Amino acid sequence: MASTFKLSTDLPAWKELEQLYQKEGKNFDVKQAFAEDPKRFDEFSRVFTNYDDSKILYDFSKNLVNKEIFAKLIELAKQSGVEKLRDEMFAGDHINTTEDRAVYHVALRNRAKRNMPVDGKDTAQEVDDVLQHMKEFSNQIRDGSWKGYTGKQITDVVNIGIGGSDLGPVMVTEALKAYSKPGLNVHFVSNIDGTHIAEILKNLSAETTLFLVASKTFTTAETITNATSAKNWFLKHSNDNKEAIAKHFAALSTNEKEVVNFGIDPKNMFGFESWVGGRYSVWSAIGLSVAIFIGFDNFEKFLKGAEAVDQHFLNTPLENNIPVIGGLLNVWYNNFFGAQTHLIAPFDQYLHRFPAYLQQLSMESNGKSVTRANVFTNYQTGAIIFGEPATNAQHSFFQLLHQGTKLIPADFILAAQSQNPIENNKHQKMLASNFFAQSEALMVGKNEEQVKAEGATGGLVPHKIFSGNRPTTSILAQKITPAALGALIAYYEHVTFTEGAVWNINSFDQWGVELGKVLAKVIGKQLDDKKPVEDHDPSTNNLINTFKEWE
Ligand code: F6P
């Protein structure tokens, strides 16, 4: 919990990595490294085997590391106590020190029902009870035995939540759409912009709609405002039938008191505990929309896929520990090469919300500048995560990746088998060829000689040169099944964990979101008053006053 070092820069391995960067890292030529070592791919790739025996290949070999650098990064993980912190997380210790809480989302996917106590209480039974409730409820919605207030079955489920109570369910339902049931639709309302809920409600009928109000705290302003508008809409369209609310509203939360205050029957509440962080909550009751959409059996496979990665993370020596390797490579680029960003580009349309999901996971976790020892860092922490589905991104921002002035480490993700192998699998082959070509092009580049040999002359030559040597990690799954998706998410969770441990920061709080929320509350009140404001800075005063004038 309390770390034994203040700053990561004080660790001997950090200092040695600084020297290694100067000596070998900054001029490292990955193409050359492949030429010199025919076994490089074997050396730097790992295969993860899931509980159902499906595989995911992680090819780290196109990264700017050699054996010596890799060994030193592993040493850095050891010296910074990655293993100790990991073991503490799995033991239910309060590693979220600033909120004095355990970080125990791993207990949500404990399908083997290992003894996983927290605060002196076992979690396996409680987790199982909630899952049983989710199973019954999702089965009833799916088989039509749950009826709305006029006796019709539910056709549309609207999840109202924000941040972790939205991004996970949105991303997973999109990613696993191929496993959904025709005739049962899910919608997501997160934005406080009235347009979001208004556009969704336009096409729905109160008789056949179920609202899931998803909020860990049940106090988040956007969610409660959206949920209240949904309730008002429902009452308006059901002749003010207050009793009908019990058939059309459920809550996913840790806060029973507020759920009851809101008017939701506690029988329709699916609970979880404070040791589940918002951005780690898709595995909890917050995943109810997922269970309804893809069916409980698939939801359980999703949990089991994550559980398999948890066991790998917990039990595998660091040099073969796939998320540890992923996290350490990110540290290498972030802190030694000075990379500011990290691209995640899935070659998979169903994964189109995966980068957005990972933005919260990584940036809310590791966007910190104070260490566990309560001092400011003198080094960079979390990278700016961005991404879009490739191959679309190839036709927009990949130019900067290939020829820009910045180093942008990238993860490319592909499933070998498409869920929609249309036109004799032609689309899938084109998709896959781009997946292979992009990482190859980024690595091998094209030099002046080659450009000239292709006929370019004069001033055009430099424009056609690709420096190459741009690092990528290729992640190749067999298929994006619920189990594979669970494994991929858990991989990124533990990558984020590893980075945070090395940087000695608390990856589990989010104090940085508070200030804006507090100021918005104050300003919200001022917007109800016609008088111009003058108690902010001049820019904010003028913006508010212009809004009041134009409103
Ligand atoms: O404001 C950030 C945050 O607290 C996230 O960490 C969380 O996922 C989100 O808000 C939503 O919180 P809640 O589930 O409590 O409504």
Side-chain angles (χ1 to χ4, degrees), residues 26 48 95 112 180 208 214 223 231 241 274 336 362 399 413 426 432-433 437 439 442 472 497 521:
K26 69 176 182 195
F48 169 74
I95 63 167
S180 70
T208 54
T223 299
K231 191 164 74 174
N241 188 343
S274 62
F336 300 91
S362 175
Q399 163 67 36
I413 305 169
K426 183 174 151 206
S433 57
S439 62
L442 284 162
T472 56
F497 180 99
K521 249 194 196 153

Side-chain angles (χ1 to χ4, degrees), residues 161-165 214-220 223 272 277-279 281 286 360 364 510 513-514 517:
I162 199 164
S165 300
S215 176
K216 176 178 170 179
T217 55
F218 227 78
T219 55
T220 302
T223 299
F272 54 104
R279 53 195 174 273
S281 65
I286 293 291
Q360 185 194 15
E364 202 173 65
Q510 55 284 317
V513 300
E514 293 305 321
K517 286 189 197 174

